[in-house]
Structure formats: C-alpha cells, structure tokens
Amino acid sequence: MRLGMIINYAGEFGETVELVQDYERAGLELVGMPEAYSFDAVSALGYLAARTERAALMSTILQIYSRTPTLTAMTAAGLDYVSGGRFVLGLGASGPQVVEGFHGVPYDAPLGRTREVVEICRQVWRREPVVHEGKHYKVPLTKEDGGSGLGKPLKLINHPVRADIPVSIAALGEKNVAMVAEIANGWQPIFFHPQKFRAAWGESLEAGFARRDPALGELDIQLQTSFLLGEATPEAVGAVRNQLALYIGGMGARGKNFYNALACRYGYQTEAKEIQDLYLDGRKAEAAAAVPDDLVDSVALIGSEDVIRRKLAELDEAGVRTLLINPVAADPADRIAQVRRLSELIAERAATSAGASA
C-alpha cells in the first residue's frame, strides 16, 4: 500500500508545501493536487515537482471539459518531464454546477468523453500522428465537421519521458466505474466504505475487469480519507461528518447528486433523503447530525494504532493500494510524526503479509 496526501487547494497550499519535504522523509510517496474552481492545479504541480525528489505527483483531478484532450496530454507529458517521470494524470468529469456554472460549457456525455480523452492522450504520448474519429472529439477537425480543411495529423514534438503515463479516474456512477475498471490504471473513489463498496460497485467492477487489457495490471484504488492517529476527537469526527453532509446533502440538485446516490447504494436511502432535505433547507448542523455513525467511521482513518491496523487490513482486503490522506492533527509537527508512524504501520503490514505468503 502506497502512502499519499491530497493538498488543500483552498488556502493552505503554501504551508503544506513548506512541509512536503518533511513529509517525504516521513514516508510520503505521492502528492495529489486538486482543481475545482480554484487556482489551477498544473502550476501548483509544477512547483511541487521542483520541491520534491521521490514522491509521485497526481492531479486530483483535472476535469475533462475545461481542456482539449490533446492539451491534457501535452500537460501530462510536460509535468511528467519536469518531475522526472513521477506524474500520474488524474481525470474526472466533475459536475454540471462547476462545468456549466464556472466554465460555461455543456456537461454532456461524461462517460463517452472520458473514454475518448484517455484514448487521445495515450496516442499523443506514443508520439503517433493524432487521428481520432470519435463521437465527441474529431482530430484533425475536418471541413465536414466544421473546420477549415487545413488541419492535418500532428504528433507531439517532444519525446515524453514515458509513453505510458498512468491514468487515474475519479468515478462514482456504476457505468463510470465499469469504464474505469476497463481502461484506467487507477481509480479515485470518494467515501469508500470497505464493507459496502461491493454493494455499490461490485457488478460494475466485474464487468469492467472482464474487458480490461492485462497489460494495465491491477487497478490501483486510490482512496481519499481523513487521517488522525490517536483519540477520535470531536473536532476530527465533526469535520468528517460535516463533509459527508455537504456532499450527500448539498453537492448537486435533487436527483443530480452523485454522492447522495452513492449513499443510497450503500443502503442508507432513508438517511440520505433526510440529510439532503435538511441541508437544502439550510439546516446544516442537523444534516451533519443525521449522517450515520457507521458511515463516518468507515470512510475515515481515525483512531488508535490498533484501530488503524484493523482499518488498514480492511482496506487492503478491499483492494485499496494507495491512501490519499488528509492529516487533521492540529499541529504541523504532529501531522508529520503521524504520517511517519502510519508509514511504519503500512510497512509492518506489508512485511507480515509477505511472511505469511512465503
């Protein structure tokens, strides 16, 4: 299991980057940079490439609508170059509130567009002249499709460090997860419940794996989770509860909230409806209080060393291969110390598993 971290894009970037080398020394192996409707992730990732030595860097996520597929490929190749081959391209569709509300482009065909973006990116990285005749993207754009007729197939001028940059996709919907299991190197689910994830995605994963190219290897499940080693403080648990209430209750309109739908597939239909009703009525504290304790506990990595060991075993059994933690200890020195100890606990589990299989 690989230990990674998501950097907060909302205002703590500078503080976290100042500590990132300490985190690397503590065992951090991957740094993820989000991009919502904040500063762009690419400039931050370029800065991180200069400030890190060993850790992989991942976009968490670049959304597919705000860049052309070839620009996404160029950007990934550039970040892979400046980081010395350490970049992972994290992609996702985001949602209509951001795509249409901030970028002003239609939120349409997320599955089809994602598949075509990945196909085009891999073609660019192989330095093939880009020719793509898809439903959503046509490269070159011909006169028949609205172009001038002057476009011609071009290949990337530079030689990428790697022709197979890993692609990770954020996905929650059943069809989207099936596509991820088929074509991606990594999968970024959110609010991953290790005991209930098969109820939500089991059939989708099986369908995708049945079509998966063996050359892609094992699907790397990259799990975002809050992390605190020690007593489950009210502040830490409350932050997880509030985040779940925000996403289940307020991230999307009724009938268009992917996170609410996920909670329903986990079996929390009644609670999901109550959370959404309360949240959309402005009763946010009551919405947070309505989040099931089991869900709060299962999606967070919070507790004593024994609790953390148990949770690591459950996540390992569920196929999680990368942790993307959000350390929530109040003091920076404590966060670094806790990351170091978590790295040791992961190493202990790996050694135990290796010994058992020998």
Side-chain angles (χ1 to χ4, degrees):
M1 188 177 289
R2 181 170 56 165
L3 180 56
M5 174 188 295
I6 300 280
I7 290 184
N8 190 329
Y9 57 78
E12 300 175 9
F13 176 74
E15 174 190 341
T16 305
V17 170
E18 289 303 314
L19 299 172
V20 73
Q21 292 173 328
D22 292 325
Y23 281 121
E24 269 196 308
R25 285 189 285 269
L28 194 72
E29 298 172 87
L30 184 147
V31 181
M33 190 67 220
E35 182 179 80
Y37 42 101
S38 55
F39 292 150
D40 76 288
V42 176
S43 54
L45 285 162
Y47 184 67
L48 283 165
R51 296 296 301 271
T52 55
E53 296 178 0
R54 299 178 304 279
L57 306 175
M58 181 164 70
S59 52
T60 55
I61 54 156
L62 300 184
Q63 44 136 306
I64 60 172
Y65 294 95
S66 55
R67 297 172 175 87
T68 66
T70 43
L71 176 58
T72 298
M74 293 163 61
T75 300
L79 288 169
D80 205 45
Y81 172 73
V82 298
S83 66
R86 292 184 284 136
F87 182 63
V88 178
L89 175 61
L91 295 171
S94 186
Q97 287 184 324
V98 173
V99 172
E100 297 180 351
F102 191 69
H103 294 285
V105 297
Y107 184 85
D108 65 341
L111 272 72
R113 288 187 181 276
T114 300
R115 183 182 290 274
E116 290 188 38
V117 167
V118 173
E119 290 173 359
I120 293 169
C121 282
R122 287 173 170 160
Q123 194 174 15
V124 170
W125 299 332
R126 293 192 298 266
R127 294 194 74 241
E128 298 171 358
V130 180
V131 177
H132 181 84
E133 286 288 333
K135 181 177 180 181
H136 308 289
Y137 301 102
K138 298 185 187 301
V139 188
L141 188 65
T142 65
K143 196 168 185 176
E144 292 74 19
D145 292 314
S148 66
L150 300 177
K152 63 178 183 179
L154 299 172
K155 66 181 179 181
L156 190 68
I157 293 173
N158 310 81
H159 289 260
V161 175
R162 295 179 294 173
D164 55 352
I165 296 171
V167 175
S168 171
I169 300 175
L172 291 179
E174 294 163 289
K175 292 182 179 179
N176 206 358
V177 170
M179 178 194 64
V180 170
E182 178 188 351
I183 71 170
N185 303 94
W187 173 35
Q188 297 176 56
I190 192 170
F191 306 139
F192 184 90
H193 195 309
Q195 284 81 40
K196 297 180 182 289
F197 83 97
R198 290 181 180 85
W201 297 303
E203 292 183 5
S204 300
L205 290 168
E206 289 179 11
F209 289 146
R211 298 188 295 268
R212 185 177 181 83
D213 183 346
L216 288 171
E218 181 185 28
L219 181 67
D220 181 7
I221 301 179
Q222 300 155 339
L223 179 60
Q224 298 184 30
T225 182
S226 295
F227 166 63
L228 178 67
L229 180 59
E231 181 184 356
T233 64
E235 294 79 11
V237 174
V240 177
R241 188 177 292 279
N242 289 338
Q243 185 190 35
L244 283 162
L246 166 64
Y247 278 72
I248 296 170
M251 288 293 241
R254 297 182 194 276
K256 292 291 184 182
N257 183 321
F258 308 131
Y259 312 97
N260 190 281
L262 174 60
C264 290
R265 296 204 303 276
Y266 278 161
Y268 303 114
Q269 293 91 341
T270 301
E271 295 90 340
K273 183 180 185 305
E274 181 184 7
I275 293 164
Q276 187 173 60
D277 288 344
L278 290 167
Y279 201 95
L280 294 180
D281 284 345
R283 298 156 66 184
K284 297 180 181 178
E286 293 175 66
V291 176
D293 292 340
D294 167 69
L295 183 58
V296 174
D297 178 68
S298 296
V299 303
L301 198 61
I302 295 176
S304 67
E305 287 197 5
D306 286 341
V307 170
I308 297 297
R309 286 190 180 95
R310 171 180 60 80
K311 291 191 172 190
L312 289 175
E314 292 171 350
L315 293 172
D316 188 22
E317 177 66 24
V320 174
R321 297 296 175 258
T322 299
L323 291 176
L324 298 172
I325 60 170
N326 173 28
V328 296
D331 182 74
D334 287 342
R335 292 198 293 270
I336 292 168
Q338 291 191 12
V339 168
R340 179 178 294 108
R341 184 56 183 149
L342 179 57
S343 177
E344 292 169 351
L345 293 175
I346 291 172
E348 288 175 11
R349 172 158 182 81
T352 300
S353 298
S357 61

